[in-house]
Structure formats: C-alpha cells, structure tokens
Amino acid sequence: MSILVTGGAGYIGSHTVVELLNNNVEVIIIDDFSNSKPEVLEKIKQITKKDFKFYRMDYGNAEELKKVFEENPSIEGVMNFAGYKAVGESVQKPLEYYTNNISGTLTLLNTMKKYNVKKFVFSSSATVYGEENDIPYVETMKTGSTTNPYGTTKVFIERILQDLYKSDTTWNIAILRYFNPIGAHESGLIGEEPQGIPNNLMPYIVRVASGELKELSVFGNDYPTPDGTGVRDYLHVVDLAKGHVKALEKLNKDQQGLHIYNLGTGRGYSVLEIVHTFEKVTGKKVQYKIVDRREGDIAIAYADTKKSHEELGWIAEKNLEDMCKDSWNYIEKSQKK
C-alpha cells in the first residue's frame, strides 16, 4: 500500500517524504515545481537511499489525477502539501490562492472519493485561529476570523472536510494546524528555498547573514512581550514532518474519524530571540532595523500541544539552536555548489 503526497518536492512535503520513506512507507509524489525544484527529488533519494514514483503535474488537473489513481491502485491515503502558502502574496493574488488551494483540494477529494480512497492528511495552519482567541491556541477554539486569503483558504478547506466527514463517516481525516516551521534536514541537502524575497523570518535571517540581503526588518518593538518584538511558536520542520507520520499511524489504527491537531512546540520565541540565538549558534552577524508594526500582526501566538502529545504520542524534540544551526547549514551547503 502507498501514500500519495501532493506537493512532495516542496519544503514541508519533502521533509515529510523523507520521514515516510524512513518509516518504510511507500510514497508516490505529485508536484508541478511551481514552488519547488526538481533536484529535491534526487536529494530525497540520496538521504533515504530509497526510490519512489513521481508525476510532474498540477494536482488540480482532474484528468491527470485520475490517471495517477488508475495507475496506482495501491494508493490507500493522501497527504496534501500542494497549497500556496505565502501570506503576503495571497493578499496580492487572492484568486490564484482560492483557485489552487480550494479548487485543487476539491478536485483531489472528488478523485479520492471516486476511487474509494478515504484516508486524508491535510496541512492546515494556526492562522485559522484568527485574532480573537486567547493564547495558547487549543483545537476546540472557534476559527474563521482570518486576516488574509491564505488563512481563509485553510478555514474553508477545514469546513469542507468537516462537512464531508459529516456526510460520510467512513472518511478518515487528520487536520494538522501548523505553527511556524523553520530549519532544514540535518544533512543540509533539503531546506526552505523561497522564490524571490522571503516572506518568512528564518529564510530572511539566513540570507542577511550570507550577505544576499542587506538587513532584516523587524516589524514593531513595542508589543507587550519581554523584548517588545512579536512572539511566535517556531518548530523544526523535521519535527513537523514526524508529526505527519504520527498522524498517519493514528489514521491507520482508528480506520475512521476526523481529528484536528496543533503541531507546535507549545512555547513562543520572539523575533529578536531568534536573531540573537542565530548569531550565537553560527557566529554570523544579522543586521536588522526596527520598523512599524504590520497591520494584522498580533503580539503573541503559540500552541497548546497537549492533544497531539496525548493522542499521537508526538512532541517537538528539537530546540531553537537546532533550528538555527540546520537553517544555516542548508544555506552554507547551497552556496558551495
């Protein structure tokens, strides 16, 4: 039996494929390389010493997706990493985000239903909690007051999955709400490779440290936090990937149900805490400047991880120093090519 991984060459998808293969799960990857690179596939093989099937295609193409399921009757479940994920870009390109994230997922779910494949792991986000909930975020909280189209697509898809399960309880679904994944595989072979100017903190930090970018803009230093900068729950991408393996194990054991889990460390790190830890671990200086707050940003956001620990047996094991060290190792190895 095999697991279909859409967006499997991307940042989180590739690290999850590595963990699946390391756990002897047969994998089939779909990716169109719109936000990833073909050489990642060879690096996955290099890390795991294992092979897999690959289809270059858009997961929202119903005819091509049908062909994948026709050719691979062994598919027993799907992990979906094919969503667009840049918050800022989603504000500029809402139609592209709604089309790819929501329409693509609907095409995927309809195809799964047609071939009676009802095991689904969905990449959601902590953005679904919006601005109104207290910290830490708990899975039972009300969701929906998002501040950008990216977050709204996650809310819509979560609702679609909940309605789908209500209509047919033979589905077996895990919704994983990510917090802020950073870091890279310890081999330095795969990591986060944003196209253009990075939207997220750690890719920006490493590119300032490497001299590729001039300085980091820190958005606000007057929040009610220990150093005035925003606090977020950052977790290592390998820990996040291992959370997907645990979620799959849960679905294999339970056979049916709809489960929602936070994947985070359960604590927050401030922007300057990350900058200073990165400097300490790498010996590299990170130039930064304080600028005005961004509209929609909140002071503090981190996860309550009790449910994922108790029900999945999962806990984030790597610390902030690991996240910084592995992020820099990936950039150093990339630059030496």
Side-chain angles (χ1 to χ4, degrees):
M1 305 305 283
S2 56
I3 298 297
L4 178 65
V5 182
T6 67
Y11 176 46
I12 298 168
S14 62
H15 286 83
T16 302
V17 168
V18 166
E19 295 305 319
L20 289 168
L21 292 171
N22 284 343
N23 280 270
N24 299 313
V25 177
E26 188 177 320
V27 172
I28 299 163
I29 296 177
I30 286 173
D31 207 299
D32 64 358
F33 301 128
S34 60
N35 197 29
S36 59
K37 295 180 178 178
E39 52 263 34
V40 169
L41 301 176
E42 290 307 314
K43 290 174 181 177
I44 292 172
K45 293 174 187 177
Q46 193 177 335
I47 292 167
T48 63
K49 306 293 189 289
K50 292 180 180 177
D51 204 354
F52 47 82
K53 267 191 179 181
F54 171 71
Y55 292 84
R56 182 169 186 167
M57 54 170 280
D58 176 356
Y59 85 127
N61 185 316
E63 284 305 308
E64 290 191 7
L65 198 56
K66 176 183 172 184
K67 181 183 172 189
V68 173
F69 279 82
E70 290 280 357
E71 292 180 358
N72 300 279
S74 65
I75 294 172
E76 65 170 349
V78 177
M79 289 188 178
N80 182 18
F81 299 98
Y84 294 159
K85 61 173 189 172
V87 170
E89 184 183 62
S90 77
V91 176
Q92 303 300 320
K93 300 179 177 180
L95 294 181
E96 287 89 335
Y97 270 68
Y98 287 122
T99 299
N100 180 75
N101 292 12
I102 299 176
S103 296
T105 300
L106 286 170
T107 299
L108 182 59
L109 291 170
N110 276 315
T111 307
M112 290 175 65
K113 182 180 177 182
K114 181 176 181 179
Y115 291 93
N116 198 36
V117 176
K118 295 184 176 179
K119 191 180 296 179
F120 189 62
V121 179
F122 176 60
S123 302
S124 192
S125 166
T127 57
V128 302
Y129 291 112
E131 300 178 86
E132 297 165 7
N133 287 305
D134 294 329
I135 308 300
Y137 294 141
V138 182
E139 290 89 344
T140 52
M141 285 177 169
K142 183 180 179 182
T143 62
S145 59
T146 54
T147 58
N148 56 77
Y150 161 74
T152 306
T153 67
K154 298 299 186 183
V155 170
F156 285 173
I157 295 167
E158 284 199 11
R159 182 60 185 268
I160 289 165
L161 293 172
Q162 289 164 354
D163 288 343
L164 175 62
Y165 180 71
K166 197 181 294 182
S167 73
D168 178 0
T169 56
T170 63
W171 278 83
N172 201 6
I173 299 167
I175 294 171
L176 305 181
R177 292 176 179 162
Y178 303 173
F179 279 69
N180 297 69
I182 58 176
H185 192 268
E186 63 183 5
S187 65
L189 290 171
I190 57 174
E192 190 165 11
E193 194 67 53
Q195 296 185 355
I197 302 297
N199 289 284
N200 297 326
L201 179 61
M202 185 57 79
Y204 213 106
I205 287 174
V206 296
R207 282 158 182 79
V208 171
S210 70
E212 187 179 328
L213 295 172
K214 181 185 174 185
E215 62 186 359
L216 171 72
S217 293
V218 177
F219 297 100
N221 66 344
D222 57 351
Y223 287 104
T225 62
D227 62 22
T229 63
V231 169
R232 297 291 181 271
D233 190 335
Y234 291 89
L235 77 158
H236 199 293
V237 66
V238 172
D239 280 331
L240 179 62
K242 289 178 178 177
H244 289 75
V245 176
K246 291 291 188 181
L248 181 62
E249 290 173 357
K250 168 80 172 174
L251 298 186
N252 288 340
K253 185 175 70 175
D254 286 6
Q255 301 306 310
Q256 60 190 59
L258 187 143
H259 313 277
I260 301 174
Y261 298 105
N262 288 335
L263 294 184
T265 62
R267 62 152 294 179
Y269 301 100
S270 76
V271 174
L272 289 184
E273 188 177 358
I274 291 177
V275 168
H276 297 324
T277 302
F278 181 88
E279 290 178 329
K280 184 181 81 173
V281 168
T282 66
K284 294 289 179 180
K285 182 69 178 170
V286 178
Q287 297 292 338
Y288 68 88
K289 64 178 178 181
I290 306 296
V291 298
D292 291 341
R293 294 185 183 188
R294 283 183 303 200
E295 187 179 349
D297 274 356
I298 57 177
I300 302 171
Y302 61 90
D304 182 311
T305 58
K306 183 180 178 183
K307 185 180 179 185
S308 55
H309 179 53
E310 291 181 349
E311 293 190 15
L312 300 181
W314 175 88
I315 191 165
E317 297 175 344
K318 294 179 181 287
N319 60 29
L320 183 55
E321 292 192 355
D322 295 324
M323 300 178 212
C324 293
K325 175 173 60 72
D326 291 340
S327 295
W328 181 243
N329 181 43
Y330 174 68
I331 285 293
E332 276 199 307
K333 289 208 169 186
S334 300
Q335 289 180 333
K336 287 175 183 175
K337 292 173 191 170

PDB file of all heavy atoms in Angstrom, residues 215-231:
ATOM      1  N   GLU A 215      19.538  43.766   5.149  1.00  0.00           N
ATOM      2  CA  GLU A 215      19.160  43.775   6.561  1.00  0.00           C
ATOM      3  C   GLU A 215      17.747  43.249   6.734  1.00  0.00           C
ATOM      4  O   GLU A 215      16.940  43.243   5.801  1.00  0.00           O
ATOM      5  CB  GLU A 215      19.273  45.192   7.148  1.00  0.00           C
ATOM      6  CG  GLU A 215      18.362  46.200   6.504  1.00  0.00           C
ATOM      7  CD  GLU A 215      18.594  47.623   7.012  1.00  0.00           C
ATOM      8  OE1 GLU A 215      19.458  47.815   7.883  1.00  0.00           O
ATOM      9  OE2 GLU A 215      17.892  48.534   6.519  1.00  0.00           O
ATOM     10  N   LEU A 216      17.463  42.835   7.961  1.00  0.00           N
ATOM     11  CA  LEU A 216      16.152  42.311   8.329  1.00  0.00           C
ATOM     12  C   LEU A 216      15.307  43.448   8.883  1.00  0.00           C
ATOM     13  O   LEU A 216      15.772  44.233   9.707  1.00  0.00           O
ATOM     14  CB  LEU A 216      16.314  41.226   9.398  1.00  0.00           C
ATOM     15  CG  LEU A 216      15.044  40.700  10.071  1.00  0.00           C
ATOM     16  CD1 LEU A 216      14.256  39.826   9.116  1.00  0.00           C
ATOM     17  CD2 LEU A 216      15.406  39.921  11.341  1.00  0.00           C
ATOM     18  N   SER A 217      14.077  43.541   8.450  1.00  0.00           N
ATOM     19  CA  SER A 217      13.123  44.488   9.033  1.00  0.00           C
ATOM     20  C   SER A 217      12.354  43.784  10.145  1.00  0.00           C
ATOM     21  O   SER A 217      11.713  42.757   9.911  1.00  0.00           O
ATOM     22  CB  SER A 217      12.147  45.007   7.972  1.00  0.00           C
ATOM     23  OG  SER A 217      12.805  45.812   7.023  1.00  0.00           O
ATOM     24  N   VAL A 218      12.435  44.326  11.352  1.00  0.00           N
ATOM     25  CA  VAL A 218      11.698  43.791  12.495  1.00  0.00           C
ATOM     26  C   VAL A 218      10.459  44.666  12.673  1.00  0.00           C
ATOM     27  O   VAL A 218      10.560  45.863  12.968  1.00  0.00           O
ATOM     28  CB  VAL A 218      12.555  43.801  13.774  1.00  0.00           C
ATOM     29  CG1 VAL A 218      11.738  43.307  14.968  1.00  0.00           C
ATOM     30  CG2 VAL A 218      13.801  42.932  13.583  1.00  0.00           C
ATOM     31  N   PHE A 219       9.305  44.068  12.488  1.00  0.00           N
ATOM     32  CA  PHE A 219       8.059  44.836  12.449  1.00  0.00           C
ATOM     33  C   PHE A 219       7.519  45.084  13.860  1.00  0.00           C
ATOM     34  O   PHE A 219       6.737  44.305  14.382  1.00  0.00           O
ATOM     35  CB  PHE A 219       7.017  44.117  11.589  1.00  0.00           C
ATOM     36  CG  PHE A 219       7.433  43.993  10.152  1.00  0.00           C
ATOM     37  CD1 PHE A 219       7.974  42.808   9.663  1.00  0.00           C
ATOM     38  CD2 PHE A 219       7.303  45.073   9.285  1.00  0.00           C
ATOM     39  CE1 PHE A 219       8.365  42.695   8.343  1.00  0.00           C
ATOM     40  CE2 PHE A 219       7.690  44.971   7.957  1.00  0.00           C
ATOM     41  CZ  PHE A 219       8.233  43.786   7.484  1.00  0.00           C
ATOM     42  N   GLY A 220       7.970  46.175  14.465  1.00  0.00           N
ATOM     43  CA  GLY A 220       7.482  46.581  15.776  1.00  0.00           C
ATOM     44  C   GLY A 220       8.338  46.066  16.917  1.00  0.00           C
ATOM     45  O   GLY A 220       8.743  44.905  16.925  1.00  0.00           O
ATOM     46  N   ASN A 221       8.624  46.961  17.868  1.00  0.00           N
ATOM     47  CA  ASN A 221       9.332  46.546  19.095  1.00  0.00           C
ATOM     48  C   ASN A 221       8.630  47.107  20.325  1.00  0.00           C
ATOM     49  O   ASN A 221       9.252  47.325  21.370  1.00  0.00           O
ATOM     50  CB  ASN A 221      10.795  46.984  19.058  1.00  0.00           C
ATOM     51  CG  ASN A 221      10.969  48.500  19.079  1.00  0.00           C
ATOM     52  OD1 ASN A 221      10.020  49.244  18.821  1.00  0.00           O
ATOM     53  ND2 ASN A 221      12.174  48.956  19.385  1.00  0.00           N
ATOM     54  N   ASP A 222       7.316  47.340  20.187  1.00  0.00           N
ATOM     55  CA  ASP A 222       6.535  47.905  21.295  1.00  0.00           C
ATOM     56  C   ASP A 222       5.363  47.003  21.681  1.00  0.00           C
ATOM     57  O   ASP A 222       4.361  47.457  22.228  1.00  0.00           O
ATOM     58  CB  ASP A 222       6.040  49.304  20.927  1.00  0.00           C
ATOM     59  CG  ASP A 222       5.211  49.330  19.638  1.00  0.00           C
ATOM     60  OD1 ASP A 222       5.170  48.295  18.942  1.00  0.00           O
ATOM     61  OD2 ASP A 222       4.612  50.382  19.344  1.00  0.00           O
ATOM     62  N   TYR A 223       5.490  45.717  21.366  1.00  0.00           N
ATOM     63  CA  TYR A 223       4.470  44.757  21.787  1.00  0.00           C
ATOM     64  C   TYR A 223       4.651  44.432  23.277  1.00  0.00           C
ATOM     65  O   TYR A 223       5.763  44.561  23.816  1.00  0.00           O
ATOM     66  CB  TYR A 223       4.582  43.463  20.980  1.00  0.00           C
ATOM     67  CG  TYR A 223       4.106  43.570  19.547  1.00  0.00           C
ATOM     68  CD1 TYR A 223       5.014  43.636  18.497  1.00  0.00           C
ATOM     69  CD2 TYR A 223       2.748  43.595  19.248  1.00  0.00           C
ATOM     70  CE1 TYR A 223       4.579  43.720  17.171  1.00  0.00           C
ATOM     71  CE2 TYR A 223       2.299  43.680  17.935  1.00  0.00           C
ATOM     72  CZ  TYR A 223       3.227  43.743  16.905  1.00  0.00           C
ATOM     73  OH  TYR A 223       2.790  43.841  15.608  1.00  0.00           O
ATOM     74  N   PRO A 224       3.604  43.969  23.957  1.00  0.00           N
ATOM     75  CA  PRO A 224       3.721  43.576  25.366  1.00  0.00           C
ATOM     76  C   PRO A 224       4.398  42.202  25.517  1.00  0.00           C
ATOM     77  O   PRO A 224       3.795  41.232  25.974  1.00  0.00           O
ATOM     78  CB  PRO A 224       2.267  43.562  25.841  1.00  0.00           C
ATOM     79  CG  PRO A 224       1.479  43.238  24.610  1.00  0.00           C
ATOM     80  CD  PRO A 224       2.211  43.904  23.475  1.00  0.00           C
ATOM     81  N   THR A 225       5.655  42.139  25.089  1.00  0.00           N
ATOM     82  CA  THR A 225       6.461  40.911  25.166  1.00  0.00           C
ATOM     83  C   THR A 225       7.783  41.265  25.845  1.00  0.00           C
ATOM     84  O   THR A 225       8.107  42.445  25.995  1.00  0.00           O
ATOM     85  CB  THR A 225       6.744  40.348  23.761  1.00  0.00           C
ATOM     86  OG1 THR A 225       7.500  41.314  23.017  1.00  0.00           O
ATOM     87  CG2 THR A 225       5.444  40.054  23.009  1.00  0.00           C
ATOM     88  N   PRO A 226       8.575  40.279  26.276  1.00  0.00           N
ATOM     89  CA  PRO A 226       9.804  40.581  27.017  1.00  0.00           C
ATOM     90  C   PRO A 226      10.749  41.562  26.329  1.00  0.00           C
ATOM     91  O   PRO A 226      11.374  42.379  26.999  1.00  0.00           O
ATOM     92  CB  PRO A 226      10.449  39.198  27.175  1.00  0.00           C
ATOM     93  CG  PRO A 226       9.278  38.259  27.227  1.00  0.00           C
ATOM     94  CD  PRO A 226       8.277  38.830  26.269  1.00  0.00           C
ATOM     95  N   ASP A 227      10.876  41.484  25.003  1.00  0.00           N
ATOM     96  CA  ASP A 227      11.771  42.434  24.324  1.00  0.00           C
ATOM     97  C   ASP A 227      11.039  43.356  23.349  1.00  0.00           C
ATOM     98  O   ASP A 227      11.661  44.080  22.579  1.00  0.00           O
ATOM     99  CB  ASP A 227      12.917  41.700  23.613  1.00  0.00           C
ATOM    100  CG  ASP A 227      12.429  40.742  22.514  1.00  0.00           C
ATOM    101  OD1 ASP A 227      11.303  40.931  22.020  1.00  0.00           O
ATOM    102  OD2 ASP A 227      13.175  39.815  22.165  1.00  0.00           O
ATOM    103  N   GLY A 228       9.709  43.308  23.394  1.00  0.00           N
ATOM    104  CA  GLY A 228       8.924  44.210  22.566  1.00  0.00           C
ATOM    105  C   GLY A 228       8.618  43.706  21.165  1.00  0.00           C
ATOM    106  O   GLY A 228       7.809  44.302  20.449  1.00  0.00           O
ATOM    107  N   THR A 229       9.276  42.603  20.751  1.00  0.00           N
ATOM    108  CA  THR A 229       9.022  42.084  19.399  1.00  0.00           C
ATOM    109  C   THR A 229       8.038  40.918  19.456  1.00  0.00           C
ATOM    110  O   THR A 229       7.872  40.281  20.500  1.00  0.00           O
ATOM    111  CB  THR A 229      10.336  41.640  18.713  1.00  0.00           C
ATOM    112  OG1 THR A 229      10.935  40.560  19.448  1.00  0.00           O
ATOM    113  CG2 THR A 229      11.325  42.800  18.630  1.00  0.00           C
ATOM    114  N   GLY A 230       7.403  40.647  18.326  1.00  0.00           N
ATOM    115  CA  GLY A 230       6.368  39.620  18.261  1.00  0.00           C
ATOM    116  C   GLY A 230       6.885  38.237  18.625  1.00  0.00           C
ATOM    117  O   GLY A 230       8.030  37.878  18.321  1.00  0.00           O
ATOM    118  N   VAL A 231       6.045  37.463  19.276  1.00  0.00           N
ATOM    119  CA  VAL A 231       6.395  36.114  19.736  1.00  0.00           C
ATOM    120  C   VAL A 231       5.558  35.095  18.975  1.00  0.00           C
ATOM    121  O   VAL A 231       4.335  35.224  18.881  1.00  0.00           O
ATOM    122  CB  VAL A 231       6.161  35.980  21.257  1.00  0.00           C
ATOM    123  CG1 VAL A 231       6.255  34.521  21.690  1.00  0.00           C
ATOM    124  CG2 VAL A 231       7.157  36.838  22.024  1.00  0.00           C
TER     125      VAL A 231
END
